[in-house]
Amino acid sequence: KQIEPSGIVDIETYKSIYAEYVGSKERGRLEGVLGSFMDFPTSEGDFFPEMAHINRTMGVCLDYYGHTHSLRMDGYFSAESTRCVKLLRKIYKLPDKDSIDQEFYLRLIKDHDSIVKPRKY
């Protein structure tokens, strides 16, 4: 975190520790949900119903960043899905991979939720 060690928990250190704590609680909650959602990693050629949700979510994020795509909105992990995963990994500064792992999925959901505001009824 590039905080100079002093032996004292100053406000900068406290904020960093607290942010890590909140982040770990959220990651734990989401990973618990993901465990029942699908098996990771997944890659091109796979077919499973949950992939339709991932394709739609990637589409929303790519639209937001101004990137065109022709993602299928079904459960197929296509060559276009792979291209979109690689592009989003670059945007998110994640390791360059062709597959969807938990790290990518959690980042995708967080990004989607910050873009799409919940409707108020």
Side-chain angles (χ1 to χ4, degrees), residues 2 25 39 50-51 60 66 80 85 88 90 111 121:
Q2 300 177 349
K25 296 282 277 184
D39 291 327
E50 296 85 359
M51 190 64 203
V60 168
E80 179 65 4
V85 166
L88 285 166
K90 187 175 184 177
D111 193 26
Y121 295 97

Side-chain angles (χ1 to χ4, degrees), residues 4 6 14 16-17 20-21 24 28 33 35 39 43 45 61 63 71-72 75 85-86 106 110 115-116 121:
E4 196 65 36
S6 67
Y14 173 80
S16 179
I17 291 170
E20 184 63 31
Y21 166 74
S24 69
V33 171
D39 291 327
S43 56
C61 294
D63 290 344
L71 283 164
R72 296 168 56 139
V85 166
K86 290 179 79 62
L106 291 172
K110 183 177 180 181
I115 293 167
V116 178
Y121 295 97

Side-chain angles (χ1 to χ4, degrees), residues 5 13 19 25 34-35 38 40-41 44 48-50 62 64 66-67 71 79 82 90 92 95-97 107 112 118-119:
T13 305
K25 296 282 277 184
L34 288 179
M38 61 184 283
F40 290 97
E44 190 173 324
F48 48 95
E50 296 85 359
L62 289 168
Y64 176 80
H67 293 280
L71 283 164
T82 298
K90 187 175 184 177
Y92 299 155
D96 183 27
K97 296 180 185 175
R107 180 64 178 90
H112 176 271
R119 293 181 187 177

